[in-house]
Every structure is written in structure tokens, then in C-alpha cells.
Amino acid sequence: MNEDNQIETSTDSLPTFDEMRDHLGDARQNILTVLYVTDTSGVNTSDLREQAGIPSGSMSHHMRKLQRWELVEEIDREYAGRGSRAIVWALTTRGHEFCDDGLELPDDPLVEPEDFEALRAEVSELRDDVETMKKAMVQIAVKAGGVKEETAQEWLSD
């Protein structure tokens, strides 16, 4: 049995903060740090993975563990590239307490809340610009006679 499972099966109650700290690891600490220092209405999985430096293949494992420990929760889903819906995560009350109780935050946090919000706004603007450009290009193609109206509508609905 690995160490991660030992603290979950040793008792029916949630692990203590000390037990969690002993089994936290760098990846989960980075995830909690990003959520804690951004302190926004939530961070989608894609942004969280990028900010915390987590390989995509292990992200769901770490998030499930943090959920079982009741430190994070899914609060929403939002579109994040290529039309996929990414889970939006936030710290729970217990997660905030855990971070306040002694999460060892780096002297230079991974991201400042203001920086993250500015980047998030910029990405949102860029997505809107891409959508506007896509609509304009499709309209040009229809007017030029190279694309049927039905095909154009299909493209725009993707």
C-alpha cells in the first residue's frame, strides 16, 4: 500500500493537517499555493495545471486527492480552448484553513493575484477577438460565393 492511501484508510475521518502536510508533495503544494495566492472565484484546470507546473497526465490524480481531503472543490465548468469544458476549482473553507495553518508558501509566490487576473482578462479578450475574426472570415467566404450559408452556420456553431 502506498503512503497516499495509508492516511485515507487509517481512519474513517479526514486526515489531520499534519498528516496531509506529511503526504502533500510538491505538486499538490503548488496547486494549493496557486489557488491560495490567486484567491479568485476559481481557477480552471488548464490554467491551474500551467501555473502550478503539473504534467497534464497527473493533474486529475492530484485534484482527486485534494478533493478527498476536502481542500478543494469543483465550483463550475468553463470553456478552455478547443471548445472543451474545463473544471473550475476553488479552495474550500477547510482548504483555506489548511493553507492559513501552515502551507509553506514560497517567498516569491508562483503568481500574484493581480497578474493572474490580468492574464485571465487578456485571454478572455483574445478569445473574443478570435471569435469575431472567425465570424468575419466566414461572412467574407459566403459573400465571395466560396461557401454556402448552411456550411457557414455549421462552422460558426463549432
Side-chain angles (χ1 to χ4, degrees), residues 24 51 61 65 113 118 131 150:
L24 191 60
Q51 292 294 322
H61 164 74
K65 178 70 67 179
E131 192 62 31
E150 299 81 32

Side-chain angles (χ1 to χ4, degrees), residues 10-38:
S10 64
T11 178
D12 290 336
S13 63
L14 290 171
T16 66
F17 286 177
D18 286 336
E19 288 172 323
M20 287 187 293
R21 264 190 294 279
D22 289 343
H23 300 280
L24 191 60
D26 291 339
R28 288 188 283 265
Q29 177 164 337
N30 288 351
I31 291 168
L32 291 173
T33 299
V34 169
L35 289 171
Y36 187 74
V37 299
T38 57

Side-chain angles (χ1 to χ4, degrees), residues 1-156:
M1 178 183 318
N2 70 33
E3 289 181 31
D4 280 347
N5 292 332
Q6 287 177 350
I7 66 169
E8 291 185 60
T9 57
S10 64
T11 178
D12 290 336
S13 63
L14 290 171
T16 66
F17 286 177
D18 286 336
E19 288 172 323
M20 287 187 293
R21 264 190 294 279
D22 289 343
H23 300 280
L24 191 60
D26 291 339
R28 288 188 283 265
Q29 177 164 337
N30 288 351
I31 291 168
L32 291 173
T33 299
V34 169
L35 289 171
Y36 187 74
V37 299
T38 57
D39 197 29
T40 65
S41 58
V43 180
N44 76 45
T45 303
S46 178
D47 292 340
L48 183 57
R49 183 182 58 75
E50 185 177 313
Q51 292 294 322
I54 309 296
S56 59
S58 62
M59 190 66 178
S60 61
H61 164 74
H62 295 302
M63 297 313 293
R64 280 193 307 271
K65 178 70 67 179
L66 293 171
Q67 269 188 304
R68 282 195 298 269
W69 291 350
E70 296 184 7
L71 299 178
V72 300
E73 62 186 342
E74 177 181 337
I75 60 168
D76 198 3
R77 290 192 179 239
E78 67 183 19
Y79 288 101
R82 296 190 180 191
S84 62
R85 291 182 53 103
I87 297 171
V88 178
W89 299 96
L91 288 175
T92 62
T93 301
R94 179 177 163 85
H96 277 285
E97 290 170 2
F98 177 74
C99 292
D100 289 340
D101 185 59
L103 179 64
E104 294 177 20
L105 296 173
D107 292 334
D108 184 21
L110 300 172
V111 64
E112 293 292 326
E114 303 81 30
D115 296 339
F116 186 79
E117 285 305 314
L119 285 173
R120 187 177 219 164
E122 187 174 333
V123 167
S124 180
E125 280 182 38
L126 288 171
R127 285 183 179 147
D128 290 344
D129 289 348
V130 166
E131 192 62 31
T132 300
M133 292 169 76
K134 179 180 173 182
K135 289 176 183 175
M137 291 178 75
V138 168
Q139 286 176 353
I140 290 168
V142 169
K143 287 182 181 181
V147 175
K148 293 181 181 180
E149 184 69 34
E150 299 81 32
T151 303
Q153 291 305 318
E154 287 177 24
W155 288 351
L156 292 175

